[in-house]
Structure formats: structure tokens, C-alpha cells
Amino acid sequence: MLICEKIAEIRDFVRKRKGQGKTVGFVPTMGYLHRGHTALVERARGECGAVVASIFVNPLQFGPKEDFAEYPRDFDRDRRMLEEYGVDALFYPSVGEMYPCGFCTHVEVPGLAGCLCGRSRPGHFRGVATVVTKLFNIVQPDRAYFGQKDAQQVLVIKKMVEDLNMPVEIVAVPTVREEDGLAMSSRNVYLSPDQRAEAPVLYRSLQEAARVAAGGERDARRLVEMVRDRLSRVNGASIDYVEIRSLPDLKETERLDSPALLALAVRFGKTRLIDNIVLEV
Ligand code: PAF
């Protein structure tokens, strides 16, 4: 696996592979990889002639009081995993390479970025949209792979790609879970043993609501209340949000007339976990 720290190097790699007629699949990450990431790589490997991954902990998408400095990092382990899963080239830029002195352009998708995680993390999706635009411009992939666990991120990126006519197909890959249902996340390592034991309640409460919706409940408020009620009884958990929003535009929804996103964010101490499920009607 080729490791490129410089934009010019990864561009050169992609240009050569495209010259050989290969489609390029791209898996952008912030590292500290888990099975959620390797599922993205496996999907890209199955669908594309060449696979590029990136590891870049993007300072732009962290708020001033968030965990940028403490975000878990383990480059050697990540590099080995990506190599094992068949990634052809890894783009591993420094902050200076991505945001040289004087950098000042940002990309915003305000319609979708102001609710759910965007409300509790102002500026987060602006940082994501900006770095993903840069990564797409640098790598110029044919397809890019993102986890459905970050459902709002996927919708923001799809809208940005559509609005700005970016020539890349966005592929959303189903959430990978631990055996007890907890969604894989690099932040799960922050959980204490007690918090880890409680955390599967997030997915269980989403599944319960999905079952009730499938059984005919159409009142979004009642479904949200059900989930909130379940979560509020969990020791040490504090609800950031539980909401049902329309797809793909994330508008507030009172009645379920078409598939909708039930999404939540819950804090266990300092660790904020997110999860979601699509309510089929
Ligand atoms: O989902 C992530 O890991 C990040 O938000 C992404 C897409 C790599 C952008 O920094």
C-alpha cells in the first residue's frame, strides 16, 4: 500500500490508475479504524478497480470545546488494517498540507446541517462539507463510501455533491454493530465499563420504536416519547436529542406517511454517542 502525505503524490497515483482504466473508490476516515471502516473498504474493494483511503483528523469539524486533541489515534494499527483489507493507497496529510496558512474557503449545506447533530455541534457539518470537498477534489474518486451510522453526514454530503455537480457517486453502507447492538464508533473506547454495559440501550430503543411503527403507529411524537422515556431511565445517560425527520430533507415530521429517520444522540459522561434507524411505513 502506497502512503502519500502530499496532495501531489496521491493525485499522481489516482491519475495513473485512471489511465489504466480503473474506477477509483474512496474511503475517507479520521482513523482509529474499526469494523465499520473495514466494511466501507470491503464494499469499495468489491466495486472498484483501485481503492484509496484517507486518514485525517479534521480540526475544522470539531468545536472549540470538543475532543480534537484527545481524538484517538493509532496510525500503525490503522495502516496495517488498511493494507490487510486491500487498500491500494492511503492519503495521510498533515493539517498544514490540508489547510495551509491563509486557507479561508468553506462549504455549507445550511438546509440539512442546522438540525440534529448540527444543532448541538454548530459548525460541525461546515467542517465536514469543507474537508470532504477538498478530499474529493484531491482524490477525484468515482465512488466514495460513508457509514449510515452518520446518517445526517451522508445526507449533507449527497446534497452537496448534487448541488455542486461533483462527479462522484456517494455510497451509504449499513451500520456495523457490536454483538449487543452498539454501533461501532471510534469514540466507544472512551466509555467506562459501566457506560459500555448500558450503551446498547440506544439501538434497542430504536428497534422498539421501529417495531411499533411497523405495527401501525404513525404519530411521530408518540414514537419519540417512547424512546425518550426508555433512555431517561438509563443510569448516567443524558439525552441530547431524539427526533424523527423526513428523508432525505430532514424536515420535522408529525405523521409518518413515508420512510423517516429516527435519530438520537446521547451522552454517557463526556462521550456523545449517536445512532439511527429508518422507520419504514
Ligand atoms: O465520518 C468521518 O470520519 C468524517 O466526518 C469524515 C467524513 C472522514 C470527514 O472528516
Side-chain angles (χ1 to χ4, degrees):
M1 182 178 71
L2 183 71
I3 297 177
C4 306
E5 294 188 8
K6 298 290 174 204
I7 292 170
E9 290 166 2
I10 192 73
R11 279 211 163 129
D12 191 46
F13 171 86
V14 171
R15 195 175 39 75
K16 285 185 182 137
R17 292 300 154 114
K18 286 197 168 176
Q20 295 163 354
K22 294 195 168 163
T23 53
V24 174
F26 179 43
V27 180
T29 82
M30 297 207 299
Y32 214 70
L33 305 178
H34 49 66
R35 282 196 286 118
H37 297 109
T38 56
L40 304 181
V41 173
E42 280 178 320
R43 181 79 181 265
R45 191 65 284 169
E47 295 180 353
C48 306
V51 178
V52 174
S54 64
I55 296 179
F56 179 62
V57 185
N58 173 34
L60 235 55
Q61 68 190 73
F62 290 79
K65 294 196 183 123
E66 291 184 354
D67 57 346
F68 173 68
E70 298 88 49
Y71 195 82
R73 293 162 171 89
D74 189 342
F75 179 71
D76 284 335
R77 184 175 146 275
D78 289 347
R79 181 179 48 73
R80 281 197 303 274
M81 276 172 87
L82 293 174
E83 196 149 26
E84 189 184 314
Y85 278 82
V87 168
D88 298 297
L90 169 60
F91 181 45
Y92 181 52
S94 64
V95 172
E97 182 74 1
M98 289 297 278
Y99 301 121
C101 199
F103 176 88
C104 66
T105 304
H106 294 87
V107 180
E108 298 209 48
V109 190
L112 291 174
C115 61
L116 304 177
C117 287
R119 189 171 299 146
S120 10
R121 304 185 67 189
H124 170 67
F125 288 112
R126 181 187 199 242
V128 170
T130 302
V131 80
V132 171
T133 299
K134 282 180 67 81
L135 290 167
F136 284 176
N137 283 336
I138 293 164
V139 176
Q140 305 200 358
D142 298 291
R143 295 197 190 95
Y145 296 81
F146 295 88
Q148 179 62 25
K149 195 205 80 178
D150 298 303
Q152 188 176 11
Q153 170 169 281
V154 173
L155 293 167
V156 165
I157 291 169
K158 280 190 172 167
K159 184 77 178 121
M160 173 186 92
V161 161
E162 182 191 331
D163 285 356
L164 299 182
N165 308 96
M166 296 179 175
V168 53
E169 182 192 334
I170 302 304
V171 182
V173 177
T175 304
V176 179
R177 300 181 178 280
E178 302 281 1
E179 259 180 33
D180 58 12
L182 178 63
M184 296 268 173
S185 163
S186 304
R187 290 189 168 98
N188 289 350
V189 292
Y190 296 148
L191 297 170
S192 70
D194 285 350
Q195 292 168 338
R196 175 64 190 80
E198 298 283 14
V201 71
L202 304 191
Y203 188 48
R204 278 204 297 273
S205 65
L206 292 173
Q207 283 179 306
E208 276 165 26
R211 268 196 296 274
V212 174
E217 178 63 83
R218 293 287 170 267
D219 186 329
R221 213 172 22 198
R222 264 196 235 142
L223 291 165
V224 166
E225 271 320 308
M226 232 185 84
V227 177
R228 292 189 72 94
D229 182 54
R230 178 90 161 84
L231 295 175
S232 59
R233 285 183 276 120
V234 176
N235 255 342
S238 119
I239 299 173
D240 179 351
Y241 67 76
V242 179
E243 288 190 42
I244 293 179
R245 297 252 165 184
S246 63
L247 286 169
D249 50 3
L250 296 182
K251 297 262 186 282
E252 281 180 30
T253 307
E254 283 177 16
R255 274 197 71 74
L256 297 185
D257 297 319
S258 53
L261 184 75
L262 168 55
L264 54 77
V266 171
R267 280 179 209 281
F268 285 89
K270 277 178 144 174
T271 309
R272 183 172 171 281
L273 300 181
I274 60 171
D275 204 346
N276 67 80
I277 200 164
V278 174
L279 303 175
E280 304 289 350
V281 296

